[in-house]
Amino acid sequence: MACGFRRSIASQLSRVLDLPPENLIKSISAVPISRKEEVADFQLSVDSLLENNNDHSRPDIQIQAMRLAEKLKCDTVVSEISTGQGTVNFKINRELLTKTVLQQVIEDGSKYGLKSELFSGLPQKRIVIEFSSPNVAKKFHVGHLRSTIIGNFIANLKEALGHQVTRINYLGDWGMQFGLLGTGFQLFGYEEKLQSSPLQHLFEVYVQVNKEAADDKNVAKSAHEFFQRLELGDMQALALWQKFRDLSIDEYMRIYKRLGVHFDEYSGESFYREKSQEVLKLLDSKGLLQKTLKGTAVVDLSGNGDPSSICTVMRSDGTSLYATRDLAAAIDRMEKYNFDKMIYVTDKGQKKHFQQVFQMLQIMGYDWAERCQHVPFGVVQGMKTRRGDVTFLEDVLNEIRLRMLQNMASIKTTKELENPQETAEQVGLAALIIQDFRGFLLSDYQFSWDRVFQSRGDTGVFLQYTHARLHSLEETFGCGYLNDFNTACLQEPQSVSILQHLLRFDEVLYRSSQDLQPRHIVSYLLTLSHLAAVAHRTLHIRNSPPEVAGARLHLFRAVRSVLANGMKLLGITPVCRM
């Protein structure tokens, strides 16, 4: 694998540069493939070796690269050494490259790329990830989709790297909206509608009571009183709240199952209604709590009254707020999990909120606040179904399945499928996830159904199609060829390009693990699929000599394996037929 070649190159470099090989490993990178020319397999950036030097005293980089290249020798691993723009380039012995990469892909299976030197010495950490977090008693809003799929990706990647990951769904199951909903249900609710279509009915009640509260102060007052009763532990109010919560979670779990997402813990703001009072006492004991003329309690994070740095932590009636409950939740999780890292995945609109929460934890004396990280993301714009603006995620999932079924029915190459509905949903979800993950997470993007379902180009449909086609090759020609293969039969440019690209998988995983951006993996998989499409057209298996057919089948099997690994990390279930 790449790390074996890197290790060999680093060993020779360490003798010449008098540096430990470990210091050189990350300066040696696999070269991205080029359509225009054959490229070397690895390159050393001379610039990265001289990073510690002062810019003014650094000699010309190109001369440095040439001097270094002259001191290095080809061996059984490296067949050619050259220089580029500030780099020393290494070409690996072609037969060794072929044999090592293909054997490693098959032997390592789902761990290919994860056993790399790039990850060696990586301490295993306890990581808590809070994501999805919809509001109870409101239908699963499409705005929560990004949090769900991004959080799932980060959790998948961290788990693949061997970390102990706890996935938490922190439900919005407390707050003033329950005062409104409790009052609304008493005014407009029907028990039979609640049982037959709980979330739809609760949503309708919520919309109606909001309108009433805007026009009628008595309704607003009644809602306020209902929430106060909840905070004080009134049994009747709590029983109604519990019913709303249980029905909502059942509905969410059904949707998560469709998305292929699971959680280790369903938590919620309600868990911290009592502990948030302890937080207020702690803030007060440290002299951080200030009462306002309105009777609310605030924390001044600037220390000089800057209005933009004031965070409200208690209402005038003594009830808790979102920020207070987040503080209580963070403290509780530290006690429970003793985490090395806690990641919150929410939209960028909550950036200031989390900055304030982390800052308050610091001034309360919790040094571990620096282990908390907010991963923000942008807004999806223009997501509509044929019936108009979309509010609910389930509508999107149904629309995806319907459109994909229609697309599949219109394509002549579509195979007879055992479960066309399930396949359509898996392909549709891949399309949705790839469109979402192609750019920077922080960017807003314009949703387009037409772009989502293109079968050619850089789409999730194309990835699924490539995987299904490669699976079909293995089914058609069997696995009899796969016991051994002749490396000399895979020296065409198309084969070499694929092998060079497979070399880079560990680097791509490493980059995504550093910045938590899935776009690196998406770009890699799309390139791999395009390379596979070219190879499929030119490197035929049918009517080729057995030795050649066997070697090519081995190559295609390796591509499918790495493609499947990458897709699963992104939260996509690869399909074998479509």
Side-chain angles (χ1 to χ4, degrees), residues 421-577:
Q421 296 256 355
E422 191 178 313
T423 301
E425 186 139 305
Q426 298 298 358
V427 176
L429 277 172
L432 196 69
I433 288 169
I434 294 301
Q435 171 155 297
D436 196 287
F437 284 178
R438 279 186 62 194
F440 285 96
L441 294 182
L442 203 52
S443 304
D444 299 340
Y445 76 90
Q446 194 68 31
F447 183 83
S448 160
W449 286 110
D450 291 339
R451 198 166 61 241
V452 161
F453 288 117
Q454 284 172 354
S455 57
R456 297 182 186 280
D458 293 345
T459 65
V461 178
F462 176 54
L463 288 188
Q464 289 282 32
Y465 175 69
T466 303
H467 185 272
R469 187 157 68 166
L470 294 173
H471 187 269
S472 175
L473 269 184
E474 287 176 43
E475 276 194 330
T476 304
F477 296 103
C479 294
Y481 288 129
L482 294 175
N483 296 330
D484 200 12
F485 64 96
N486 185 346
T487 54
C489 298
L490 289 175
Q491 300 309 313
E492 309 90 345
Q494 298 93 324
S495 300
V496 172
S497 288
I498 286 175
L499 292 163
Q500 288 179 312
H501 196 58
L502 292 175
L503 265 183
R504 291 187 60 236
F505 190 51
D506 62 345
E507 285 182 19
V508 171
L509 295 178
Y510 181 75
R511 195 180 299 176
S512 277
S513 75
Q514 293 298 294
D515 65 8
L516 304 182
Q517 296 282 333
R519 65 191 179 90
H520 311 300
I521 296 173
V522 169
S523 174
Y524 176 90
L525 296 180
L526 289 166
T527 300
L528 183 61
S529 295
H530 286 297
L531 291 171
V534 171
H536 189 266
R537 286 196 297 271
T538 52
L539 305 178
H540 300 128
I541 293 174
R542 198 183 297 279
N543 301 325
S544 293
E547 200 174 40
V548 174
R552 289 174 178 174
L553 198 57
H554 218 96
L555 180 72
F556 287 127
R557 184 188 180 194
V559 171
R560 185 183 69 79
S561 177
V562 174
L563 184 59
N565 292 350
M567 289 166 78
K568 287 171 187 171
L569 285 175
L570 296 173
I572 296 168
T573 303
V575 300
C576 295
R577 288 169 173 266

Side-chain angles (χ1 to χ4, degrees), residues 7 9 42 53 128 130 133 152 185 197 199 216 219 288 313 333 354 358 370 405 453 460 519 531 536 568:
R7 166 69 65 183
I9 294 166
F42 289 94
N53 288 7
V128 171
E130 180 198 298
S133 307
N152 189 49
F185 192 75
S197 183
L199 288 190
D216 186 342
V219 173
L288 298 168
V313 289
R333 288 172 195 168
F354 283 107
F358 301 160
E370 63 190 21
L405 277 169
F453 288 117
R519 65 191 179 90
L531 291 171
H536 189 266
K568 287 171 187 171

Side-chain angles (χ1 to χ4, degrees), residues 105 408 428:
V105 171
M408 284 158 58

Side-chain angles (χ1 to χ4, degrees), residues 269-327:
E269 292 181 64
S270 62
F271 286 46
Y272 302 106
R273 62 182 189 269
E274 287 172 14
K275 289 187 178 178
S276 63
Q277 295 302 318
E278 292 169 25
V279 167
L280 291 171
K281 284 176 190 167
L282 186 59
L283 285 166
D284 198 22
S285 71
K286 289 182 178 285
L288 298 168
L289 209 60
Q290 298 175 15
K291 285 280 176 73
T292 67
L293 293 172
K294 292 179 182 175
T296 60
V298 300
V299 175
D300 177 9
L301 293 166
S302 67
N304 59 19
D306 177 0
S308 66
S309 297
I310 286 176
C311 183
T312 306
V313 289
M314 188 184 79
R315 289 191 182 89
S316 56
D317 61 4
T319 56
S320 61
L321 281 136
Y322 183 50
T324 335
R325 295 190 286 270
D326 261 353
L327 289 169

Side-chain angles (χ1 to χ4, degrees), residues 147-422:
S147 175
T148 306
I149 60 176
I150 293 165
N152 189 49
F153 158 71
I154 294 171
N156 290 345
L157 184 60
K158 294 292 186 186
E159 274 178 355
L161 290 168
H163 299 299
Q164 185 184 325
V165 175
T166 302
R167 301 162 183 247
I168 294 181
N169 197 341
Y170 183 64
L171 302 167
D173 65 354
W174 203 250
M176 199 49 223
Q177 78 262 29
F178 283 95
L180 283 162
L181 198 61
T183 296
F185 192 75
Q186 288 167 347
L187 291 172
F188 316 115
Y190 293 95
E191 188 62 33
E192 60 267 28
K193 281 189 180 181
L194 182 66
Q195 294 302 328
S196 63
S197 183
L199 288 190
Q200 185 61 42
H201 184 52
L202 288 175
F203 176 69
E204 288 163 359
V205 167
Y206 189 69
V207 170
Q208 197 170 352
V209 75
N210 262 301
K211 283 181 188 168
E212 293 288 330
D215 299 331
D216 186 342
K217 285 183 179 176
N218 287 328
V219 173
K221 184 174 177 238
S222 177
H224 202 84
E225 286 168 357
F226 190 93
F227 182 54
Q228 267 190 306
R229 283 167 57 203
L230 277 176
E231 287 258 300
L232 294 168
D234 178 86
M235 296 304 288
Q236 201 176 358
L238 280 171
L240 190 59
W241 166 83
Q242 190 69 49
K243 186 191 286 188
F244 295 163
R245 188 181 194 276
D246 292 346
L247 288 167
S248 296
I249 289 176
D250 286 346
E251 189 83 352
Y252 294 149
M253 287 176 83
R254 194 170 55 76
I255 295 169
Y256 289 129
K257 192 174 180 185
R258 286 179 74 176
L259 287 168
V261 173
H262 73 276
F263 292 92
D264 301 302
E265 180 184 305
Y266 279 86
S267 176
E269 292 181 64
S270 62
F271 286 46
Y272 302 106
R273 62 182 189 269
E274 287 172 14
K275 289 187 178 178
S276 63
Q277 295 302 318
E278 292 169 25
V279 167
L280 291 171
K281 284 176 190 167
L282 186 59
L283 285 166
D284 198 22
S285 71
K286 289 182 178 285
L288 298 168
L289 209 60
Q290 298 175 15
K291 285 280 176 73
T292 67
L293 293 172
K294 292 179 182 175
T296 60
V298 300
V299 175
D300 177 9
L301 293 166
S302 67
N304 59 19
D306 177 0
S308 66
S309 297
I310 286 176
C311 183
T312 306
V313 289
M314 188 184 79
R315 289 191 182 89
S316 56
D317 61 4
T319 56
S320 61
L321 281 136
Y322 183 50
T324 335
R325 295 190 286 270
D326 261 353
L327 289 169
I331 295 163
D332 180 59
R333 288 172 195 168
M334 189 62 195
E335 288 171 4
K336 189 174 178 182
Y337 297 111
N338 191 25
F339 56 78
D340 298 298
K341 191 83 175 170
M342 179 155 64
I343 297 168
Y344 297 84
V345 184
T346 73
D347 69 82
K348 61 186 178 185
Q350 294 197 49
K351 186 179 176 184
K352 184 180 176 183
H353 165 77
F354 283 107
Q355 282 174 343
Q356 291 189 331
V357 167
F358 301 160
Q359 208 177 332
M360 275 193 281
L361 287 168
Q362 284 277 15
I363 63 174
M364 288 167 79
Y366 297 113
D367 294 341
W368 50 259
E370 63 190 21
R371 302 182 203 175
C372 299
Q373 178 184 1
H374 178 218
V375 175
F377 55 81
V379 179
V380 185
Q381 294 155 333
M383 193 179 267
K384 297 181 179 182
T385 65
R386 287 171 180 147
R387 288 177 298 176
D389 281 333
V390 70
T391 311
F392 305 128
L393 180 58
E394 195 158 21
D395 297 335
V396 175
L397 296 181
N398 293 339
E399 184 90 358
I400 282 172
R401 188 167 59 192
L402 179 67
R403 288 187 187 232
M404 202 62 234
L405 277 169
Q406 290 171 342
N407 280 19
M408 284 158 58
S410 67
I411 299 169
K412 291 177 184 174
T413 55
T414 298
K415 304 273 194 301
E416 282 292 319
L417 300 170
E418 280 180 29
N419 191 337
Q421 296 256 355
E422 191 178 313

